Amino acid sequence: MSHLERIGKKVLDINQLKPLLEQWRFFGKKVVFTNGCFDLLHLGHLDYLSKAADLGDVLIIGVNTDASVRRIKGPSRPVNDEKSRAMLLAGLQFVDAVVLFDEPTPKEIIDFIQPDVLVKGDDYKAEDIVGYDTVMAKGGKVETIRLVEGYSTTRIINRILQGT
């Protein structure tokens, strides 16, 4: 199997995720979940995701579909389509699974996964993070990670458009 095929096998739908969750839980693995658009993968994302992975044994990333990104960010986004964004994230060695979601929030997928650790950037208060109640009710943790200053997809897009 090629490296690209191995990477592609980490991009799953929710039904494909179920047996993996059962396996990970059987072996006592701590499951970490985070989500986002991840339109243009940059150093800030890499820093954030690697720190999220350090909080457990398995990292699952929920990625907004193209339609979902357009609803959140506007008609000119995403720059990269959902397949490209999912594959790039799956290519990171510390990422175990990537799941696309189209809902306005990742609440349904968090309820399904029941992560041990839920992670977002420190631009959120833990108690305001979607899924907080679900994770806390099962005795899990909700963590925020300090974001690297100067890195954001919108900022990168604006620099490209301005030619700077």
Side-chain angles (χ1 to χ4, degrees):
M1 179 181 314
S2 73
H3 288 290
L4 192 59
E5 289 170 327
R6 273 190 225 120
I7 291 167
K9 288 188 176 289
K10 292 199 285 185
V11 180
L12 307 169
D13 68 35
I14 199 104
N15 296 320
Q16 294 170 308
L17 192 56
K18 185 174 183 172
L20 287 173
L21 285 167
E22 290 170 358
Q23 179 183 8
W24 292 325
R25 298 240 190 264
F26 178 80
F27 287 107
K29 303 286 186 183
K30 185 187 287 187
V31 175
V32 178
F33 177 83
T34 192
N35 68 280
C37 299
F38 302 103
D39 196 0
L40 294 176
L41 199 56
H42 54 69
L43 181 61
H45 289 138
L46 186 66
D47 181 82
Y48 167 79
L49 293 170
S50 67
K51 288 175 180 171
D54 288 340
L55 296 172
D57 304 305
V58 173
L59 177 61
I60 302 170
I61 304 175
V63 177
N64 296 77
T65 61
D66 292 347
S68 177
V69 174
R70 277 191 289 281
R71 289 191 299 270
I72 296 166
K73 305 279 187 180
S76 64
R77 300 279 296 276
V79 172
N80 286 308
D81 63 76
E82 62 195 46
K83 180 180 178 185
S84 299
R85 293 181 287 119
M87 287 291 286
L88 286 168
L89 290 167
L92 299 173
Q93 69 180 22
F94 50 79
V95 173
D96 297 282
V98 177
V99 182
L100 293 166
F101 70 95
D102 192 53
E103 296 76 25
T105 73
K107 175 83 170 113
E108 289 179 37
I109 198 163
I110 292 168
D111 288 348
F112 178 84
I113 292 171
Q114 294 283 309
D116 300 296
V117 184
L118 176 62
V119 180
K120 287 298 279 182
D122 68 352
D123 50 341
Y124 288 87
K125 289 182 185 174
E127 58 273 9
D128 294 337
I129 296 170
V130 170
Y132 176 88
D133 294 341
T134 299
V135 173
M136 296 306 288
K138 71 167 288 227
K141 290 183 178 180
V142 177
E143 301 278 348
T144 59
I145 293 176
R146 183 179 203 102
L147 299 175
V148 179
E149 287 200 34
Y151 288 93
S152 81
T153 300
T154 301
R155 186 175 183 167
I156 291 168
I157 290 170
N158 288 338
R159 284 184 58 208
I160 292 168
L161 292 174
Q162 293 169 4
T164 61

